[in-house]
Amino acid sequence: MTNRVVRVAGTAKASRLVPPAGPQRVLAGAQLANSVGDGAYYVTSALYFTHVVGLAPARVGLGLTVAWAVGSVVGVPLGRLADRRGPRGTAVLLALATGAAVASFLIVRGFVPFVLAACAYASAQSGLAAARQALLAGLIPAGERTGLLAHLQSTLNAGLAVGAGLGGLALRAGTQAAYLGVFALDAVSFLLCAAVLLRLPSVTTAPAPREAVSQERGRSVLHDRPYVVVTFLNTVLLLRMPLLSLGIPLWITERTDAPTWLVSALFVLNTGAVMVFQVRMARGVTGLATATRAIRRSGLVMLASCAVFALSSGVSPWTAAGILVAGALLQVVAEMLQSAGSWQLGFDLAPADRMGEYQGFFGTGVTVARTMGPLVLTALLVGWGAAGWLLLGGVMLAASYAMGPATRWAAGRRVTAAAEVAVTHPVPAC
């Protein structure tokens, strides 16, 4: 009897960490497949491009900035392609294209070929993200999407952690063959991702009669001003993304006396917390009202986190370390709340027949935050010190509270549009 109870408890615990069988678990498998390769790529790419390709660090930064700028623009038309041609087939093709772009890094040895390959990589990645979101929307009922995205985020972090470990082995070896092996692994991971996505059923993309009018009225997502405002506010909140990789490391080394190894420890803390708690944090987000409430809470917690981080300057090393850990714990809570809320808004405010296009646009927030975030965070944290932390927290709090009115505006616009369609295209009587 005791063994049975243990098995049941173990099964319940696993169900909280692993999505249910079916399309949800297949999507998680695809996420895991390419995240392992991406984790290895992220920790080795800078040294690969400088030591193996032979580019100056400044040129690497310029090339990647140009590439992600292109990717952010291309994501919307590629998302529209997923709406028209079907998200599963588009996602498979873009996964193959991403793998081919990564493989091209193995042979480029100059700045121009590097920029071209990086543009292809960033474009395919942006389009793949939009197509996968459209595929998820077509396969998963609306009430289950945020929960699944929480599972996918946990899976992503687990894969990145494994990949980072493999990348660390390549860094330890320090040979050209080791670096080439990592990039080959990343290319193969996207081929595996494409194979896993083929296991999913196809999704029909024919719009419903009432929704079809939205395509005639607005030629692009940019005509949907409320959705543009929501995306902009979400981009501001996503400035927390470069914190872990750039802002906090610079703060620790430039403004505190804390040990430098704490940079790695805080990364592990963040990754582990998201893996374990993201699904639980997303359970209460089931609609627009709960999503905006979660985002408001994330803004308050983020402000508290920034205030705590600001206190770590000018104190003893171990006091600074304790304060930084406390700030990191608050930051990851804010991250999980903001993620869950933004996932819900991104789907619920998008027309069902244009999900790929809208998700492609909503996803540009990640690209913009990663491109502009390093500049903003360096100026605020390194240049302004504690005042910069408080300003960053205040801006995020303001954006989180502005999300409520913006969401109501966007939701009201959709209701108004639906009412206008009902008047101009009445349903025929039986």
Side-chain angles (χ1 to χ4, degrees), residues 12 44 55 169-170 220 257 269 282 380 387:
T44 59
L55 300 174
L169 295 176
S220 84
D257 294 321
L269 172 66
L380 287 179

Side-chain angles (χ1 to χ4, degrees), residues 76 80 218-225 227-228 354 357-358 361-362:
V76 173
R80 191 180 298 124
R219 295 183 180 179
S220 84
V221 64
L222 294 176
H223 288 77
D224 191 340
R225 287 181 293 174
Y227 197 87
V228 171
R354 300 172 65 186
E357 179 186 356
Y358 271 64
F361 181 72
F362 198 71

